[in-house]
Amino acid sequence: MRYPITPEYLKTAPDPIADLYLSLEETVIKDICRRFRLSGTATNSAVEQIKILKRKGYSQEEIENAIAKTLNMSRAELDKLFGGAVDRNKQYYGGVFDKVQLLDADVDMLAAQSEIDAIYAQTAGEFKNITQSLGFAIRDQGEIKFLPIAATYQKVLDDAELEVWSGAVDYNTAIKNAVKRLADSGLQTMVDYASGWHNRVDVAARRAIMTGITQISRQYSESAAETLETPYREVTAHVGARDKPGPSPWSSHKEWQGKVYSVKEGDKYPSIYRVCGLGFVDGLTGANCRHLYYPFVDGVSERTWTDEQLNNIDPPPFKYQGKEYTAYEATQKQRQIETAIRQAKRDCLAYESAGLEVDYTDASVKLRRLREEYKAFSKAAGLRTQPERMNVLDFGRSSSAKATGRAEEYHAYWLKSIGAEKTELKTLAKYYDGKYNNSPQYRLLEIYARDVDNGWISPNASFARYVEAYNDIQNNIVGKITSNGILITGQREHFMQRVLGTGRDPKKYKDDHRIIRRSGVEIEDIKQALFGDSVVEPPVIQNNGKRSVRFIGAKCVVTVNPDTGELIQTNQRKVK
């Protein structure tokens, strides 16, 4: 056994209990949101609808039952978790004592049961505190305020009533805003009433577990070190350790992980306090730190990691979508996407419970996009995907299938709205495969959709015609030499806007509300201007400092950069 409690074990151990509290969060948010559905008769005004909800108040009986159930289940999980941690330590130190031939050493004496019980009671007490101070962090007059569940219910309804009464929004929009505030906050617990510090319930539960396991491990470690009569400690190491410098000398954990230190000053090994920051919140065993330490007997123990292994513990940096990531940054990015996916799932549940169909669709589309990004980023980083970290317990197969179906429906609707229903990327699977594998079809669709959205191209032009014209240019114009000897190497993105034509120049309309229509240009006319008998004007320098040459053909004018060979723009020629 390398270590009794490895960084990898410490990373995943809190998951079952954290999941219980995430499930509790989903229950609370869904319970509140379902109450927001329209009640009463259809003739009631929106303001009256809200007043009906306020008069009913918020009964917490169902929620209190869910809280009690969560607390009981978390204690059962805690029993298994702490029992496993104790067994791991006993097995490990039994092997250590055998190795150094301490035959009279008793692993059962390393940590008194009363000490383990005290750590258990403290951790169980943390769970009780978490469930007794549940609420939401709601923005009120520019400040984030923590409100208990029932007070939150009344607060969001008060705000919705004011929004509707003032005429600023309709009922659905007001309720959407309320649901979003709840989902964005997530179920929180008051950590420190004096300071007003609050945290999400799953984060608080995870921290309580990691603190408890760390305390057990340190209890065994210090007692074993005393038995072994050694002042030395070996620190654990793991891939993707924090590698960013900070305000403290020990902020970059990668610098000190996996090495041997002393609890004494001026010893042969560096001080574990000065180098690793043991005892400080941003140091060894501090907040969100998965490193632990174990006794090291000089001359007997062998280091788990050599200096060479530590220097190469992380894979080399890699690039993803133009940005470079270290191993630590990659794991952080992966965690961020996982968190966003869980949030999107909660949004789906909340909007569905409140009957907000449009917002449910938006959340479903976002969820699908995040899932595809997660797969693509993890593949680029060489990281294992961890679907268990994105579980939302009320979001099962049925919810997932419904959200996926809704996202597919929207994708088909979007393609039709921009005149691209005949694209090869008809399904979301093909669309995201094209996106993350940089397919030419995806790149063209991206540019075309942006131009349609901005008003440069009418959706009536159709994506099929866009692709046909683009390929015609690439195959029959790019790679050819103009009448004055310029090799055409490619086309600017906005060149296609002028080829297909613009119903209303969005820039001119935005600047002074002038409607400027630009007719499209035939490919054959562009060829004639570039390669046939046309007037070629001398190069001029544009405002951006780059040169351009105009080819004036029989029916159109084409502008080319003579230095790069790129097609810049084309317009129909006005013949008097």
Side-chain angles (χ1 to χ4, degrees), residues 377-438:
F377 180 81
S378 299
K379 181 179 179 180
L383 294 173
R384 180 179 68 86
T385 58
Q386 301 182 65
E388 69 278 1
R389 294 186 65 89
M390 296 170 282
N391 285 340
V392 170
L393 299 188
D394 280 357
F395 196 89
R397 289 184 178 180
S398 176
S399 297
S400 181
K402 182 176 180 179
T404 298
R406 184 65 63 88
E408 289 284 0
E409 289 172 9
Y410 179 81
H411 181 66
Y413 163 79
W414 173 69
L415 290 176
K416 186 175 182 180
S417 72
I418 62 173
E421 61 268 35
K422 294 183 179 180
T423 176
E424 298 172 4
L425 310 179
K426 288 182 179 179
T427 67
L428 281 172
K430 292 181 178 179
Y431 176 81
Y432 284 113
D433 182 66
K435 176 178 180 178
Y436 292 111
N437 289 291
N438 201 27

Side-chain angles (χ1 to χ4, degrees), residues 489-543:
T489 60
Q491 54 181 306
R492 298 271 182 88
E493 287 186 0
H494 60 261
F495 187 75
M496 287 297 300
Q497 298 169 2
R498 302 302 176 86
V499 172
L500 294 185
T502 304
R504 185 184 69 185
D505 187 320
K507 188 176 186 306
K508 297 291 184 183
Y509 186 78
K510 179 181 178 182
D511 291 343
D512 50 23
H513 294 283
R514 285 189 298 158
I515 297 178
I516 304 296
R517 293 183 173 86
R518 300 181 187 277
S519 299
V521 179
E522 296 294 331
I523 303 297
E524 291 303 317
D525 294 339
I526 295 174
K527 294 177 185 176
Q528 185 276 323
L530 291 172
F531 310 124
D533 185 15
S534 61
V535 176
V536 182
E537 295 183 340
V540 296
I541 298 177
Q542 298 176 316
N543 293 333

